[in-house]
Amino acid sequence: MTCGYGVDGGESANPGARGLPVTQFVEAVDKHKRRVRHGMVKERARILVVGGGYVGMYTALRLQRKLKRELGRGEAEITVVTPDPYMTYQPFLPEAAAGAISPRHVVVPLRRVLDRCRIVIGEATGIDHEKRTATVNTLATEEEGAGGRRITYDELVLAPGSVSRTLPIPGLADHAIGFRTVEEAIGLRNHVLEQMDIASSTRDPSLRDAALTFVFVGGGYAGVEALGELEDMARYAARYYHNIRPEDMKWILVEASGRILPEVGEEMGRYTITELRRRNIDVRLETRLESCADRVAVLSDGSRFPTRTVVWTAGVKPHPVLAATDLPLNGRGRLKCTARLAVDGAAHVWAAGDAAAVPDVTAGEPGRECAPNAQHALRQARVLGDNVVHSLRGEPLETYAYKYAGSVASLGLHKGVAQVYGRRVKGFPAWFMHRTYHLSRIPTFNRKARVAAEWTLAGLFKREIVSLGSLEHPRAEFELAAGEKPPQGPPSDTKGSS
């Protein structure tokens, strides 16, 4: 996406080369010197931002504000390449899955927020920094048949984020679903309600048992919050089924390490386990998923659970595009960066967020890196945007330094845990802190107002328990009417659908 109006790249930057009189040439040079002296961009700059998530959107927004005059004069342009035309505010995905927030309110439309930028919807597949070019596959690439589009740049901001880190577990690719996108969150909500419908209507005890068994793998934020919110929703929905009780459902959390939610501290992690088990959620520590082939979850402790739902939230890895660059990576595949958010040893390249290994200058131990979480990503984006502007203007760069304040997590309606500045909070106060903090962080007043309004209405009316699973196949009914055989089951069997 390009932020700015662009200028004719073929025009000479030397006034004298266009045949101007000496007087005008001198005046043009003086004007250029004054522009540099007054803190303006030295020359036309093409800035490419790869990624439209936390870091990508906030960095482009920062650049858009800081370079407002330069963009208006055509002295700078910003292009943002992103696979989706929106930024997903991931901390609200569990509430979207539970129906507490409308899906469209957890995403921020990039074209509206970055109105002085040009959005390119596509995936960056490779970067040749030596030639200052990025290869992008857009929505039209396959139709055009001309190969990827090449975008040139002067300054490169890499913020592609991360993708789910999977393991070669039998059946995982066929039957599991992740929890990183709004599509996955809403698909999982529809799926859980659909499984309750199946369980309510079947006469087969084994099918009923499998439909009411839900396995979540990974005890980090995504897994625990998704499990907590969906179990809470399903428990509420059970009151409307004549033959399903909350006790009939099995909710299982599988974690390979000896604790969950390490970000909130050991004590709050133990409290979370106690709270989940009090809700009849089976928490299994130091346990791994070994197989989910044939819709049977096999755990490393020997347990076997027939299930139609496996949710994989066991970690992330850097975006694959990083491996398709000529830039330095660390052992985990993240970009080696300095404390000023510049890629180490590569001029005019910047990175932050999940893609970057940024030194934590506030830590007492050398070599420690900033955790790849939203707290750091939001703050790194501000410093990154400022440093790109400083670099263009020939000004000193800032050092990123932020001491981690703490963490908050929701465990369902009116339930939560938090550790903020060393203080431990649990129950309703922690849940309220979670909502308040993230409401303040979601971009734009428009989204803040809509989310607050939905929370207010949710307190006055009953929860929605409608499954819209048919949205995954909107043409099914028409195909049936047209005489074609409709799909027998969503391709999302990979997402745990029936």
Side-chain angles (χ1 to χ4, degrees):
M1 158 179 77
T2 304
C3 204
Y5 299 106
V7 296
D8 183 2
E11 184 178 0
S12 172
N14 183 353
R18 298 193 294 267
L20 294 177
V22 175
T23 303
Q24 293 184 25
F25 174 76
V26 173
E27 289 177 354
V29 173
D30 290 342
K31 182 178 180 180
H32 176 71
K33 289 181 178 178
R34 286 197 303 271
R35 193 170 70 216
V36 174
R37 188 167 57 247
H38 292 159
M40 300 169 68
V41 176
K42 296 180 181 179
E43 57 187 16
R44 177 177 178 266
R46 298 165 300 176
I47 305 171
L48 175 62
V49 180
V50 176
Y54 290 121
V55 176
M57 192 205 75
Y58 280 106
T59 299
L61 184 61
R62 191 77 167 180
L63 290 168
Q64 180 177 268
R65 291 171 178 170
K66 293 282 186 177
L67 297 174
K68 184 176 181 179
R69 289 179 297 179
E70 288 85 348
L71 291 169
R73 289 193 296 262
E75 295 171 354
E77 61 180 18
I78 307 169
T79 301
V80 177
V81 175
T82 172
D84 301 303
Y86 53 81
M87 185 275 275
T88 302
Y89 192 71
Q90 290 182 330
F92 279 159
L93 287 183
E95 293 204 47
I101 302 177
S102 173
R104 66 184 182 276
H105 295 159
V106 303
V107 298
V108 179
L110 295 177
R111 297 187 191 279
R112 179 187 297 173
V113 175
L114 305 175
D115 57 337
R116 297 176 68 82
C117 299
R118 185 174 56 189
I119 311 290
V120 176
I121 304 302
E123 286 275 4
T125 59
I127 293 171
D128 187 341
H129 184 58
E130 185 177 353
K131 296 181 180 179
R132 299 293 198 274
T133 60
T135 303
V136 178
N137 285 341
T138 69
L139 296 177
T141 297
E142 186 175 347
E143 293 289 338
E144 293 172 345
R149 172 181 173 184
R150 284 181 172 77
I151 300 177
T152 57
Y153 61 83
D154 299 305
E155 300 285 338
L156 174 65
V157 176
L158 281 170
S162 56
V163 297
S164 294
R165 176 177 58 84
T166 59
L167 299 175
I169 296 174
L172 186 67
D174 298 322
H175 303 298
I177 181 174
F179 198 79
R180 291 183 52 78
T181 68
V182 67
E183 294 85 358
E184 288 175 327
I186 303 311
L188 185 56
R189 166 188 168 80
N190 292 334
H191 171 74
V192 169
L193 293 172
E194 186 178 78
Q195 297 311 301
M196 295 180 71
D197 290 336
I198 291 173
S200 177
S201 59
T202 185
R203 296 179 181 178
D204 185 344
S206 61
L207 175 58
R208 173 185 168 91
D209 184 57
L212 294 180
T213 300
F214 307 94
V215 179
F216 287 70
V217 183
Y221 275 125
V224 173
E225 290 192 326
L227 171 60
E229 291 284 355
L230 286 166
E231 188 275 339
D232 203 49
M233 178 203 70
R235 179 181 293 273
Y236 176 87
R239 68 179 67 181
Y240 297 102
Y241 289 82
H242 70 282
N243 58 351
I244 295 180
R245 298 174 302 164
E247 304 84 56
D248 296 336
M249 294 181 281
K250 297 186 185 74
W251 296 84
I252 304 164
L253 177 63
V254 179
E255 169 55 40
S257 69
R259 58 191 290 195
I260 65 174
L261 291 180
E263 296 87 352
V264 299
E266 190 171 350
E267 182 178 336
M268 287 293 96
R270 287 196 299 267
Y271 166 81
T272 302
I273 293 174
T274 301
E275 176 64 23
L276 294 177
R277 286 174 173 166
R278 188 177 294 129
R279 292 158 58 179
N280 291 322
I281 297 174
D282 186 356
V283 181
R284 304 204 172 204
L285 303 179
E286 298 181 341
T287 306
R288 299 179 307 279
L289 176 69
E290 294 193 338
S291 172
C292 56
D294 301 321
R295 294 190 180 278
V296 177
V298 180
L299 307 184
S300 60
D301 61 4
S303 302
R304 298 171 62 89
F305 297 97
T307 179
R308 298 171 63 85
T309 308
V310 175
V311 184
W312 181 267
T313 63
V316 297
K317 63 181 180 181
H319 195 283
V321 71
L322 300 184
T325 71
D326 52 354
L327 301 171
L329 306 177
N330 68 1
R332 296 185 177 181
R334 300 167 71 192
L335 291 164
K336 294 181 181 178
C337 294
T338 68
R340 295 174 177 178
L341 304 180
V343 173
D344 197 9
H348 308 290
V349 186
W350 315 81
D354 292 352
V358 179
D360 187 352
V361 298
T362 65
E365 51 190 283
R368 187 170 179 178
E369 298 172 354
C370 296
N373 55 39
Q375 242 184 87
H376 280 296
L378 294 174
R379 290 162 177 82
Q380 286 175 355
R382 296 194 193 111
V383 177
L384 195 159
D386 289 345
N387 278 350
V388 172
V389 175
H390 292 327
S391 175
L392 292 174
R393 294 174 174 172
E395 300 169 349
L397 303 182
E398 301 175 26
T399 297
Y400 175 73
Y402 173 72
K403 191 169 183 180
Y404 196 56
S407 301
V408 292
S410 171
L411 303 178
L413 189 63
H414 299 161
K415 311 172 192 73
V417 291
Q419 179 167 288
V420 182
Y421 295 113
R423 300 193 176 209
R424 293 178 287 274
V425 186
K426 56 189 178 182
F428 180 84
W431 171 83
F432 184 76
M433 289 174 62
H434 174 271
R435 280 199 164 185
T436 304
Y437 173 77
H438 287 299
L439 182 64
S440 71
R441 291 293 141 188
I442 190 169
T444 78
F445 177 78
N446 178 298
R447 285 298 180 269
K448 287 179 171 61
R450 290 178 183 273
V451 170
E454 285 196 302
W455 284 342
T456 302
L457 292 174
L460 301 175
F461 300 100
K462 295 180 180 179
R463 299 176 74 161
E464 293 291 345
I465 57 168
V466 177
S467 169
L468 296 176
S470 59
L471 290 176
E472 298 178 23
H473 294 283
R475 296 187 66 247
E477 184 175 350
F478 180 79
E479 290 174 353
L480 183 63
E484 295 185 16
K485 186 177 180 180
Q488 296 301 312
S492 58
D493 267 354
T494 62
K495 297 183 178 181
S497 296
S498 62

